[in-house]
Amino acid sequence: MKCRSVACIWSGAPPYHRITAAAVLTRPPSLYTGGSDGSIVWWNLSGTDSDPEIKPIAMLCGHAAPLADLGICFPIVDNSSNVKVKSIPADHGALISACTDGVLCTWSRGSGHCRRRRKMPPWVGSPSMIRALPTNPRYVCIACSFMDAVHLFDQHSVDLVEGGEASLDRESQYRKPPKCTVVIVDSYSLTIVQTVFHGNLSIGPLKFMAVILSPENCEMQSALMVDPYGKLQSVPILKDPTLGGESGAGLHKSSSHLDTTMWEDGLSEGGPVVSIATHGQFFVLVYRTCCIFRLLASGTAIGKISFVDNHLCFEDGSTHLHIVGGMFLEGNDASSMPRSEDPCDITEENFIVWNDRGSAIVYSVSYLDNLFNFQPLCEIPAVSHPHDARLSISFIQLNHYLFRIESVCFHIEEPLLWKPLVTIWSLYQQHDDNRKLCPQCKMVGRGGLFTDSVVGFASFHKSEGHGHDVGIEPTGRETELTSQKSTIPSLEKMNNICRDDEKYSFVRKEQVVSSSMVISENFHTPYAVVYGFYSGEIEVARFDTFFQLLESHGQSPCVEVDSHASKQYFLGHTGAVLCLAAHRMVGNSNGWNFNHVLVSGSMDCTIRVWDLDTSNLITVMHQHVASVRQIILCPPRTDRPWSDCFLSVGEDFCVALTSLETLRVERMFPGHPSYPAKVVWDGARGYIACLCQNYSGTSDAVDVLFIWDMKTGVRERVLRGTASHSMFDNFCKGINMNSISGSVLNGDTSASSLLLPIIEDASLLQSHFKHSVKGIALSNTITTNISEPSTSQAHVNEGSSMKLISTSSSVFQGYKHPVKCSCPFPGIATLSFDLASLMSHCLKHEFIGNGGDKQENTHMREPGTETLKPHHMTADDGSDLNGTLNNTIEGHDWISSLERYLLQFSLSFLHLWDVDSELDKLLITDMKLERPQKFIVSPGFQGDRGSLTLTFPGLGASLELLKSSSEFCAMRSLTMVSLAQRIVSLSHSSSAGCSALAAFYTRHFAEKIPDIKPPSLQLLVSFWQDESEHVRMAARSLFHCAAARAIPPPLCSRKAIDHTKLMISTNSKRANEDGSSNIENAYRDGLNSDTPPETPGDSQVEECKILAWLESFEEQDWISCVGGTSQDAMTSHIIVAAALAIWYPSLVKQNLAMLTVHPLMKLVMAMNEKYSSTAAELLAEGMESTWKECIGSEIPRLVGDIFFQIECVSGTSGNPAAQNPAIPVTIRETLVGVLLPSLAMADIPGFLSVIESQIWSTASDSPVHVVSLMTLIRVVRGSPRNLIQSLDKVVNFILQTMDPGNSVMRRTCLQSSMTALKEVVRVFPMVAQNDSSTRLAVGDAIGEINNASIRIYDLQSVTKIKVLDASAPPGLPSLLSGASETTVTTAISALSFSPDGEGLVAFSEHGLMIRWWSLGSAWWEKLGRNFVPVQYTKLIFVPPWEGMSPNSSRSSVMASILGHDRQANSQENTKGSGDMDCLKVLIHNIDLSYRLEWVGERRVLILRHGRELGTFQL
């Protein structure tokens, strides 16, 4: 499992966002807008009904191409066959998005993260529209076409010349049939389950699509496709969604046999169609100047609304305004439903149309008895932006609100600088004093990106000295930043900041970031953030939080840069900086003196190379004649001289290979038919792949892949169509195999992490990790960085400092990156902290533990140079680096400090500041954390395949994510608590701060903010078997703290539900007192009302719900957060249910344990690496309290199954070397050390019968016998009283494993058998062994008074040689009042051989008697092996000692004679309770503390609990 916590660093300017698609979710109320850059903004509707607020919460990053469409789906499955679901809950909705590049993503509303990210096959084309199926919203219908990407998001601006001839000319362009594909996609798996249509359309290019129901059969669905001129084509959708899959074997390859409806009369109405709307059996074509209503069944026009004389198309004599959209409004009451029997009648519906200036009119339309009527209800005024501003307008409805979504561009010369604006309009009809409808809708709210801090961001830049308002030194230096309090604005109400559009305008383009990246070469931690601006300026901002800590330790990893300078500026570009890359030189530069370079590409067609160490410009290159869009660095393990080269990709369709050693262009790769948007470099094989995606509107448009030989510059191959994508994916896999970071991207570049596919192959990464670690020289020999050129040595610190830095650098190079950096969009940098890497001991323990003589030095040098041997290395200054003891100790301390500083750096960026001020002060003073005041930081977390969910700046957005996502709460809390515990283990001086930090994220956070989501229990249990002990302990602590609040609803008992409702009610009252959102409270009340009362007759239904929950796997959002699978989902459910049944039985349903125990047993037997050990621990822990009564009769079978698994795991030999390495050792250890003893204690007779049968059913050298002995030892130590009745069987089994007749078994088990026998003798006083270990005596601990005996065994032959009669003396039962001859009581309390081994003494607590057998050595040797009981030689009655309190198991002759009859009364009372109860009481009260010690030749001492009771002469 992967636990990655993300910190997002925002630039000082809001990101641009041109909205191309929008969607809404009603529960909870949310708005999603998709942009032309691939970003999705998640907006939250809060506030009151009269004063709603729309605020951006997070940016969803999963696409790198323009968003084609957004839709709402329900990716859930009801697994219960007996429970019928009437309707899918509205709060289970999710967002599905599609971009023009063919990437699909599903986003969870609850957590906001990407549940699944997948690319559609290339034969489908470019997605353009998404529509959910009305009959099953889990499946969506996606229409794909082959048209220019610009038309996909600019559908509202079709430029046509007025007149019929122009229309005919335009239609003549489509004489070649356009291609189209319509597929059905499962929103859960994002796989194509049905191909509805794939081929050439009989109409024009696809403009719109809708999924409609047949008027004759409501279950029949059809995909209705419309071209720009109103021609329709309908394709039926099969009921079975599993036909036709991703192979492209579609159902309809052409449209010759399909029903195609063409309505030519609409062409003369208003030009091309700008929008369509469907409602029931009605279809509306929206033209530029009118709307035509038609019937779907016949195509008959039933009505028309013209806007020729309306203000929507006319303003101040100008006629350039036109309609751009229209839609039906959903009603909230029953009045909107048809009341007449005729399905083609509309009683009353509301329909809205709007123009390109945002002005809209809401009409009430009706159609009864073939009469169409319409009348305007209200209108929405146009926007007040300047007329020269570019606008994109759309409307969408959410409940009784109407959102007007605007995208505004104020800079005409920069078409990418767009800002979004959302205004909220109430749909409630307003009346004036005369009870007449008001003609204008009321705007009740508005919002935009960073609306509450856009003014502050401008002041942030001004105080930073950024932009052209302040002077910049020629050296590119800058003074220290001001504090965060003066730079980052406070969050205020949006209505108080933005009262007019003038204040709401966008920031200057000089402040807008056009490209960005994070430099993270040194120590694989972020070093600096680099921003490229539209003004051509470049800014480098260092992470002083981490490196100041290193400098305080005396080691500076930076070279010749002022340690107090937080930023650098590079000026020179005259156009926007579009791409960036940073590279550390490997070889020698010819005549140049630089080591670390920055490469930038700009819209001014130039490439500039900068020296990052000195801030100087090295050179300017002009190999492109158009804008430079990409800089691609060489992949790892690239041979010289290509290791210091980079690729540049320009809009002139050329790719250039440039060397940083020669500062010349070495290769040019021209001839691409279009801009190669995706370029990858395979350094291991020496090839370059350039994928050019063709978006021409013809049916034969295909994508082209060019493969170039890097060394010769020759074009090796050209592939077209789907083969081009297959080969491109193969290139990405090959690069990923050689990539340490596990990504196709090489080095530090501004290329988006979403542009290229992320291929995560655990086996490949693990193999590469092993090879990398093998090459690390971690020894007393402190190596230098021999790959750096000698000319750069002048820029580094001399002496031991540099030696230690180089050593630590090599340590990090061989290890998985603890912090991964990326920039999904310009101006947005992300730091992903991998918990597994941060918690690893590799950084310290491998450095200390591994010797340099055992490591192989694999550092590469230039060809022709001498390779330094690992045993003796010298630095460039001639000093000997054969490490001394002082250097070794210093290196150990430095690595330990480096790890601690890395953990502090992680906590600084991941902690939620300003929630608890006292904790913040403690972290700064006690833990020495540095608050990142110079950066705008917000939290986020990762989704599937590199997708990201990034909250916007401000504490409000972060808390909203905490209130919505239990997955985010679990991952962030787990990370913080684990890191805090790890720091304590490294440095105890900060224990107070670490303890406070752990307590805050474990308990206090929920106390401060009661309405945050509790952590996901399923996610937490997935880390119970983590490799790090700190992570395991943190996950278990968080589970226990959150269990009461996070019990899944199907498992909750009535008590837990009432407690949860009480907490929510209390929080709601507090929220109302604080004036918080009524909209959100209404949503929560709706959730509470869905919980039905628990009745006795619902037991079967409840069982079905629990079983369905245990078997469910498709509804879990946390799986994609941690990179899990459906198997992880089901197993985590079992673990959670079992843990709750054991630890919180009062909070879960009573039948949960019975329903969970069998899946838990199956999980144990599955030998799952992640969960079987945990399942075994839970099964063992709850065996006595929970599981025994459920599976009492199945315990022997389970023990046998475990023995079978041990046999399979360990192989047929007891030799550990022969064990199966595929099965983790931890599972075997848990089964043997934890579960088997627990099962044995629960059912001693069943366990003994199983191990006895194993003697004959398994091989003599099987490890099962050793495991059985070890289990017996644990049972003897843990629960000896349970073995009292079966003590003779235990001894017999141990002796069987020592049988000299079976030499193989004796050799395998002898050591374990002797250990087990000694443990039995130590624990049970009624078992004794003589001093020479040749005889063994076993007495009956419990037995009938007249039928007790003692067995004598010969340990050399392992046979029973004699039986001693230990029955009561004649007349004893009559002396003990109430006793009978068949009474079961304690027989032998202690045994001991005489020192000479010729006698045996036995003490019985029952009757207080000492028996003595003395027959001499001849008796032992000459007496035959007959088993006639031998009578004792002497009998001694022991008087009661002081403080003795007889009970039902202790009786004495003297007590009976003296008249102490209390024991007799006790026995009479016990006899009535039954023999079984009496036996249980007897076993419970048996005393195993008696011991016999010889104090002389014939004197014996009785001890109890170490106390002497008396000495007796034999």
Side-chain angles (χ1 to χ4, degrees):
M1 292 296 177
K2 305 171 184 175
C3 183
R4 297 173 178 171
S5 298
V6 178
C8 178
I9 301 176
W10 297 84
S11 65
Y16 58 83
H17 185 65
R18 182 186 183 186
I19 299 174
T20 61
V24 293
L25 271 173
T26 56
R27 294 184 60 183
S30 305
L31 169 68
Y32 299 92
T33 57
S36 59
D37 59 346
S39 62
I40 302 175
V41 177
W42 165 23
W43 310 73
N44 185 47
L45 182 64
S46 58
T48 61
D49 292 336
S50 59
D51 186 20
E53 293 180 340
I54 183 83
K55 293 183 178 180
I57 300 300
M59 177 174 287
L60 314 181
C61 308
H63 301 276
L67 265 299
D69 200 5
L70 301 176
I72 301 300
C73 59
F74 294 84
I76 64 173
V77 171
D78 180 36
N79 296 304
S80 58
S81 57
N82 298 327
V83 182
K84 295 183 179 179
V85 180
K86 297 181 180 179
S87 60
I88 300 177
D91 56 314
H92 287 180
L95 176 73
I96 182 170
S97 58
C99 68
T100 58
D101 200 23
V103 176
L104 301 180
C105 295
T106 52
W107 307 86
S108 171
R109 169 55 184 96
S111 58
H113 83 287
C114 181
R115 302 179 61 171
R116 194 169 297 273
R117 180 171 178 251
R118 190 174 185 273
K119 183 176 175 61
M120 300 181 71
W123 60 266
V124 173
S126 179
S128 56
M129 278 154 282
I130 301 176
R131 300 292 183 267
L133 298 185
T135 58
N136 191 350
R138 167 172 174 168
Y139 299 94
V140 294
C141 183
I142 300 180
C144 306
S145 57
F146 294 84
M147 64 168 54
D148 192 350
V150 177
H151 294 136
L152 292 175
F153 62 84
D154 198 13
Q155 297 173 356
H156 303 304
S157 58
V158 181
D159 298 329
L160 287 177
V161 181
E162 297 294 337
E165 293 182 359
S167 300
L168 295 176
D169 293 339
R170 176 58 60 93
E171 189 165 354
S172 65
Q173 298 180 7
Y174 303 117
R175 284 193 297 266
K176 201 166 190 179
K179 289 180 63 176
C180 177
T181 304
V182 179
V183 294
I184 304 298
V185 174
D186 184 359
S187 62
Y188 170 75
S189 61
L190 293 184
T191 56
I192 298 175
V193 296
Q194 184 182 143
T195 304
V196 178
F197 179 85
H198 179 60
N200 298 331
L201 290 172
S202 59
I203 58 177
L206 181 64
K207 183 71 173 178
F208 302 101
M209 183 198 68
V211 178
I212 59 176
L213 296 176
S214 172
E216 294 82 9
N217 187 358
C218 294
E219 295 184 357
M220 291 294 296
Q221 303 174 104
S222 300
L224 184 67
M225 295 175 285
V226 187
D227 70 357
Y229 295 95
K231 297 180 181 180
L232 273 69
Q233 182 171 337
S234 178
V235 183
I237 301 175
L238 296 184
K239 291 180 61 177
D240 187 2
T242 61
L243 296 179
E246 299 201 9
S247 61
L251 300 175
H252 306 293
K253 293 295 185 180
S254 63
S255 59
S256 58
H257 62 287
L258 300 177
D259 296 333
T260 301
T261 305
M262 299 183 183
W263 296 332
E264 301 293 344
D265 56 334
L267 295 178
S268 60
E269 296 292 344
V273 176
V274 296
S275 180
I276 65 168
T278 60
H279 181 79
Q281 298 305 315
F282 299 92
F283 183 78
V284 182
L285 293 175
V286 181
Y287 296 92
R288 295 165 65 90
T289 58
C290 66
C291 295
I292 299 179
F293 291 76
R294 297 179 181 272
L295 295 178
L296 279 174
S298 60
T300 305
I302 61 175
K304 175 182 177 182
I305 302 178
S306 176
F307 310 107
V308 174
D309 297 330
N310 194 293
H311 71 275
L312 294 179
C313 298
F314 180 82
E315 183 179 359
D316 296 332
S318 62
T319 58
H320 65 277
L321 299 180
H322 60 274
I323 303 298
V324 295
M327 67 177 182
F328 284 98
L329 299 180
E330 298 292 335
N332 295 324
D333 51 16
S335 62
S336 62
M337 302 300 294
R339 294 195 182 99
S340 63
E341 297 180 356
D342 189 354
C344 294
D345 287 348
I346 305 178
T347 56
E348 186 177 358
E349 288 293 341
N350 292 336
F351 185 78
I352 182 174
V353 291
W354 61 90
N355 64 7
D356 54 353
R357 293 295 299 177
S359 179
I361 299 179
V362 179
Y363 289 92
S364 174
V365 297
S366 62
Y367 182 69
L368 291 173
D369 300 329
N370 297 327
L371 182 62
F372 178 80
N373 293 318
F374 70 91
Q375 60 179 353
L377 294 179
C378 56
E379 67 178 47
I380 296 176
V383 298
S384 58
H385 300 301
H387 288 280
D388 59 346
R390 300 178 60 184
L391 295 175
S392 176
I393 304 292
S394 62
F395 281 80
I396 195 168
Q397 182 186 4
L398 177 60
N399 298 330
H400 55 273
Y401 296 113
L402 194 64
F403 293 159
R404 182 171 68 188
I405 304 173
E406 311 168 18
S407 297
V408 188
C409 179
F410 290 102
H411 302 282
I412 304 300
E413 70 280 3
E414 299 291 347
L416 298 178
L417 303 183
W418 292 75
K419 75 174 183 68
L421 175 64
V422 179
T423 55
I424 308 175
W425 304 83
S426 175
L427 288 178
Y428 287 133
Q429 295 180 350
Q430 306 291 331
H431 295 78
D432 57 12
D433 296 337
N434 298 325
R435 304 299 299 170
K436 293 184 179 180
L437 292 177
C438 296
Q440 196 173 74
C441 290
K442 179 182 179 182
M443 187 181 74
V444 293
R446 65 189 303 179
L449 293 186
F450 294 9
T451 53
D452 49 2
S453 54
V454 65
V455 178
F457 277 112
S459 63
F460 181 84
H461 276 283
K462 186 174 181 180
S463 63
E464 292 285 327
H466 180 66
H468 298 286
D469 296 336
V470 294
I472 300 178
E473 295 293 334
T475 58
R477 307 301 176 92
E478 190 187 35
T479 58
E480 192 72 18
L481 289 172
T482 58
S483 64
Q484 187 185 26
K485 293 183 179 180
S486 62
T487 57
I488 297 182
S490 60
L491 301 179
E492 301 177 2
K493 290 288 185 180
M494 175 265 301
N495 292 332
N496 295 332
I497 294 180
C498 304
R499 288 298 182 184
D500 53 15
D501 289 339
E502 191 65 28
K503 288 185 179 180
Y504 201 77
S505 61
F506 208 84
V507 296
R508 301 189 312 273
K509 76 170 186 176
E510 291 83 0
Q511 300 173 350
V512 179
V513 178
S514 56
S515 61
S516 60
M517 73 169 183
V518 181
I519 303 177
S520 59
E521 286 188 62
N522 290 341
F523 312 104
H524 293 293
T525 56
Y527 169 70
V529 181
V530 184
Y531 296 110
F533 296 91
Y534 272 92
S535 61
E537 187 176 342
I538 300 175
E539 173 189 306
V540 179
R542 291 180 56 200
F543 289 104
D544 292 336
T545 305
F546 176 65
F547 289 101
Q548 283 180 355
L549 296 173
L550 296 182
E551 291 166 1
S552 65
H553 195 73
Q555 319 298 337
S556 176
C558 187
V559 287
E560 287 234 343
V561 174
D562 185 4
S563 61
H564 299 288
S566 57
K567 291 192 178 183
Q568 298 172 272
Y569 282 91
F570 302 89
L571 306 179
H573 283 294
T574 58
V577 179
L578 303 179
C579 52
L580 296 163
H583 176 71
R584 188 171 293 278
M585 298 294 294
V586 177
N588 297 323
S589 54
N590 298 336
W592 302 97
N593 188 14
F594 55 84
N595 178 45
H596 202 187
V597 297
L598 174 68
V599 184
S600 59
S602 172
M603 195 176 289
D604 60 8
C605 310
T606 65
I607 295 176
R608 292 176 179 261
V609 182
W610 314 82
D611 188 350
L612 271 175
D613 299 334
T614 61
S615 305
N616 295 327
L617 176 65
I618 298 175
T619 186
V620 181
M621 298 183 174
H622 302 272
Q623 57 262 44
H624 294 280
V625 294
S627 300
V628 182
R629 286 285 179 181
Q630 298 182 58
I631 299 293
I632 296 138
L633 297 177
C634 61
R637 300 182 180 178
T638 302
D639 298 333
R640 295 291 312 280
W642 317 107
S643 55
D644 282 327
C645 295
F646 67 90
L647 294 173
S648 58
V649 185
E651 293 184 352
D652 55 0
F653 305 165
C654 288
V655 178
L657 177 67
T658 306
S659 173
L660 290 173
E661 291 186 9
T662 62
L663 298 180
R664 295 185 306 180
V665 178
E666 302 293 341
R667 301 285 188 273
M668 289 293 293
F669 306 102
H672 302 98
S674 60
Y675 168 68
K678 297 180 180 180
V679 179
V680 293
W681 184 349
D682 191 341
R685 290 178 285 187
Y687 288 99
I688 296 172
C690 305
L691 181 62
C692 305
Q693 294 177 293
N694 197 333
Y695 290 105
S696 61
T698 60
S699 59
D700 57 350
V702 293
D703 297 340
V704 184
L705 177 66
F706 286 78
I707 300 177
W708 302 87
D709 189 333
M710 177 187 62
K711 297 179 181 179
T712 62
V714 177
R715 186 175 62 188
E716 289 287 338
R717 187 176 300 179
V718 178
L719 293 91
R720 303 179 184 275
T722 56
S724 63
H725 291 268
S726 300
M727 180 60 71
F728 186 78
D729 293 340
N730 184 59
F731 264 83
C732 294
K733 291 180 181 179
I735 297 171
N736 183 76
M737 290 179 62
N738 296 321
S739 175
I740 299 177
S741 62
S743 173
V744 180
L745 298 176
N746 304 315
D748 300 327
T749 66
S750 61
S752 174
S753 57
L754 306 172
L755 182 63
L756 298 175
I758 295 179
I759 305 168
E760 296 185 358
D761 191 336
S763 61
L764 294 178
L765 292 178
Q766 184 70 17
S767 174
H768 179 70
F769 169 76
K770 292 179 180 179
H771 288 294
S772 300
V773 173
K774 184 179 179 181
I776 303 173
L778 297 174
S779 64
N780 57 343
T781 302
I782 308 296
T783 63
T784 58
N785 190 351
I786 60 178
S787 61
E788 293 185 359
S790 58
T791 55
S792 63
Q793 298 299 327
H795 297 283
V796 298
N797 296 330
E798 302 293 339
S800 60
S801 299
M802 187 57 202
K803 300 172 188 176
L804 296 174
I805 295 171
S806 302
T807 303
S808 63
S809 180
S810 66
V811 171
F812 275 90
Q813 288 175 1
Y815 189 63
K816 191 175 180 180
H817 292 213
V819 184
K820 291 185 178 180
C821 310
S822 63
C823 288
F825 298 106
I828 304 175
T830 61
L831 309 179
S832 179
F833 299 85
D834 185 71
L835 182 60
S837 301
L838 290 171
M839 300 301 296
S840 175
H841 297 267
C842 175
L843 302 181
K844 178 178 179 181
H845 294 283
E846 283 203 21
F847 182 84
I848 296 177
N850 294 344
D853 296 341
K854 300 179 182 180
Q855 298 289 340
E856 178 186 0
N857 193 341
T858 59
H859 288 286
M860 298 179 60
R861 287 185 61 87
E862 301 180 20
T865 59
E866 181 182 358
T867 303
L868 299 180
K869 296 181 180 181
H871 297 287
H872 186 83
M873 303 180 69
T874 56
D876 293 339
D877 57 1
S879 60
D880 188 4
L881 293 181
N882 265 334
T884 62
L885 180 61
N886 294 333
N887 285 342
T888 304
I889 297 175
E890 186 179 357
H892 295 171
D893 296 339
W894 198 87
I895 293 297
S896 178
S897 301
L898 180 62
E899 183 180 3
R900 185 171 68 253
Y901 297 152
L902 177 60
L903 296 177
Q904 292 175 341
F905 173 81
S906 304
L907 290 176
S908 299
F909 277 87
L910 294 178
H911 176 59
L912 294 176
W913 300 91
D914 296 328
V915 177
D916 189 335
S917 59
E918 296 298 328
L919 176 63
D920 295 347
K921 295 178 182 178
L922 185 62
L923 296 182
I924 296 174
T925 57
D926 184 74
M927 296 183 63
K928 309 302 180 183
L929 296 188
E930 292 288 338
R931 184 169 180 169
Q933 296 180 341
K934 303 167 187 178
F935 296 95
I936 306 174
V937 183
S938 66
F941 64 112
Q942 282 191 335
D944 185 40
R945 299 197 179 187
S947 56
L948 295 165
T949 300
L950 310 175
T951 60
F952 284 101
L955 185 59
S958 303
L959 295 180
E960 185 64 32
L961 186 60
L962 288 167
K963 297 175 183 178
S964 304
S965 173
S966 60
E967 294 79 14
F968 174 73
C969 294
M971 296 181 69
R972 184 54 59 94
S973 300
L974 180 63
T975 300
M976 300 301 292
V977 176
S978 302
L979 295 182
Q981 294 178 356
R982 177 64 176 151
I983 289 182
V984 171
S985 65
L986 294 176
S987 175
H988 296 284
S989 60
S990 56
S991 59
C994 292
S995 300
L997 183 65
F1000 174 77
Y1001 284 95
T1002 305
R1003 299 184 304 273
H1004 299 163
F1005 202 172
E1007 298 173 0
K1008 285 200 168 283
I1009 308 176
D1011 53 348
I1012 66 171
K1013 281 268 190 177
S1016 170
L1017 300 183
Q1018 294 94 312
L1019 190 148
L1020 291 175
V1021 301
S1022 64
F1023 288 92
W1024 280 7
Q1025 292 298 327
D1026 192 83
E1027 295 180 358
S1028 172
E1029 180 183 1
H1030 301 298
V1031 177
R1032 295 195 302 267
M1033 298 303 297
R1036 293 173 185 264
S1037 300
L1038 289 169
F1039 181 92
H1040 287 287
C1041 292
R1045 299 183 296 121
I1047 297 178
L1051 312 183
C1052 275
S1053 64
R1054 191 66 196 174
K1055 179 180 178 182
I1057 294 176
D1058 294 340
H1059 179 265
T1060 303
K1061 284 186 175 182
L1062 178 62
M1063 295 298 297
I1064 294 178
S1065 176
T1066 304
N1067 296 336
S1068 299
K1069 291 180 180 179
R1070 293 178 182 176
N1072 292 332
E1073 292 176 358
D1074 297 337
S1076 64
S1077 171
N1078 290 334
I1079 298 176
E1080 294 182 353
N1081 293 337
Y1083 165 65
R1084 292 169 184 165
D1085 294 340
L1087 291 181
N1088 296 334
S1089 62
D1090 292 340
T1091 305
E1094 187 175 352
T1095 60
D1098 293 339
S1099 58
Q1100 184 177 2
V1101 177
E1102 295 297 333
E1103 288 185 5
C1104 294
K1105 290 182 178 180
I1106 294 175
L1107 291 175
W1109 185 84
L1110 290 174
E1111 298 172 358
S1112 64
F1113 61 91
E1114 293 191 342
E1115 304 176 18
Q1116 307 306 314
D1117 290 343
W1118 67 271
I1119 301 176
S1120 56
C1121 295
V1122 296
T1125 62
S1126 58
Q1127 183 186 22
D1128 296 323
M1130 289 187 290
T1131 51
S1132 293
H1133 280 189
I1134 297 172
I1135 296 297
V1136 169
L1140 294 175
I1142 296 173
W1143 297 323
Y1144 305 95
S1146 62
L1147 299 181
V1148 296
K1149 291 183 171 62
Q1150 295 180 355
N1151 57 350
L1152 179 61
M1154 182 65 69
L1155 298 176
T1156 307
V1157 62
H1158 288 93
L1160 189 67
M1161 293 167 56
K1162 293 179 181 178
L1163 182 56
V1164 173
M1165 293 296 98
M1167 305 301 286
N1168 183 278
E1169 183 178 358
K1170 300 177 183 177
Y1171 298 99
S1172 289
S1173 296
T1174 302
E1177 292 173 0
L1178 291 175
L1179 195 61
E1181 184 170 352
M1183 183 56 62
E1184 288 291 335
S1185 62
T1186 307
W1187 312 123
K1188 185 176 179 179
E1189 60 179 334
C1190 303
I1191 59 167
S1193 61
E1194 302 179 40
I1195 290 178
R1197 180 181 60 84
L1198 181 58
V1199 172
D1201 293 341
I1202 293 176
F1203 280 138
F1204 177 76
Q1205 290 288 353
I1206 293 173
E1207 182 78 16
C1208 297
V1209 168
S1210 304
T1212 59
S1213 174
N1215 184 9
Q1219 296 180 2
N1220 185 5
I1223 304 298
V1225 181
T1226 55
I1227 298 180
R1228 184 179 187 275
E1229 293 177 350
T1230 305
L1231 293 178
V1232 174
V1234 179
L1235 181 56
L1236 269 179
S1238 175
L1239 295 173
M1241 295 176 192
D1243 188 0
I1244 292 293
F1247 173 75
L1248 292 177
S1249 63
V1250 172
I1251 63 176
E1252 288 175 356
S1253 65
Q1254 294 293 325
I1255 291 287
W1256 313 107
S1257 61
T1258 58
S1260 298
D1261 60 346
S1262 173
V1264 170
H1265 309 310
V1266 178
V1267 169
S1268 301
L1269 292 169
M1270 301 306 296
T1271 304
L1272 279 178
I1273 294 174
R1274 290 184 172 91
V1275 175
V1276 168
R1277 294 172 178 173
S1279 182
R1281 286 183 174 82
N1282 293 339
L1283 289 175
I1284 287 295
Q1285 284 185 285
S1286 306
L1287 190 58
D1288 199 44
K1289 289 185 177 181
V1290 172
V1291 173
N1292 286 333
F1293 174 78
I1294 296 175
L1295 295 178
Q1296 280 183 333
T1297 60
M1298 302 167 59
D1299 187 4
N1302 191 340
S1303 60
V1304 176
M1305 181 180 295
R1306 182 180 176 88
R1307 182 172 58 253
T1308 303
C1309 304
L1310 182 59
Q1311 183 177 358
S1312 301
S1313 301
M1314 294 302 297
T1315 304
L1317 193 60
K1318 291 179 180 179
E1319 194 67 22
V1320 170
V1321 173
R1322 183 188 66 84
V1323 173
F1324 296 100
M1326 63 285 302
V1327 180
Q1329 192 176 15
N1330 64 353
D1331 293 342
S1332 60
S1333 298
T1334 58
R1335 300 288 185 267
L1336 181 71
V1338 181
D1340 291 335
I1342 296 177
E1344 297 179 1
I1345 295 177
N1346 288 334
N1347 197 23
S1349 64
I1350 301 173
R1351 276 80 56 198
I1352 308 297
Y1353 295 90
D1354 181 18
L1355 293 182
Q1356 294 179 350
S1357 60
V1358 193
T1359 56
K1360 183 167 65 173
I1361 60 175
K1362 205 62 186 173
V1363 176
L1364 305 181
D1365 186 6
S1367 59
L1372 179 63
S1374 63
L1375 293 176
L1376 300 175
S1377 58
S1380 64
E1381 296 182 359
T1382 59
T1383 300
V1384 177
T1385 182
T1386 56
I1388 305 300
S1389 299
L1391 288 177
S1392 179
F1393 280 96
S1394 61
D1396 56 4
E1398 296 181 359
L1400 181 71
V1401 63
F1403 170 72
S1404 297
E1405 182 188 34
H1406 181 74
L1408 295 180
M1409 297 176 293
I1410 296 179
R1411 298 179 182 89
W1412 164 247
W1413 287 267
S1414 177
L1415 299 178
S1417 60
W1419 179 83
W1420 297 103
E1421 297 175 358
K1422 298 179 181 180
L1423 192 63
R1425 293 189 178 181
N1426 62 81
F1427 301 125
V1428 177
V1430 178
Q1431 297 296 324
Y1432 49 83
T1433 303
K1434 187 176 183 179
L1435 176 66
I1436 302 175
F1437 289 99
V1438 178
W1441 50 86
E1442 182 181 358
M1444 178 181 177
S1445 56
N1447 53 30
S1448 59
S1449 64
R1450 299 194 184 103
S1451 301
S1452 67
V1453 177
M1454 300 300 297
S1456 178
I1457 295 174
L1458 294 175
H1460 298 164
D1461 58 351
R1462 286 180 298 176
Q1463 181 179 355
N1465 297 332
S1466 176
Q1467 289 182 348
E1468 289 179 359
N1469 296 333
T1470 306
K1471 184 176 181 180
S1473 62
D1475 294 338
M1476 292 301 298
D1477 294 338
C1478 179
L1479 184 60
K1480 290 180 180 179
V1481 172
L1482 188 63
I1483 294 175
H1484 177 73
N1485 293 326
I1486 195 168
D1487 195 339
L1488 299 179
S1489 65
Y1490 287 105
R1491 293 295 184 271
L1492 297 175
E1493 292 185 2
W1494 293 86
V1495 295
E1497 184 177 354
R1498 298 296 295 269
R1499 294 176 63 84
V1500 66
L1501 173 67
I1502 302 178
L1503 296 95
R1504 180 172 178 265
H1505 294 296
R1507 175 190 173 191
E1508 296 182 1
L1509 302 181
T1511 305
F1512 300 91
Q1513 181 71 36
L1514 301 178

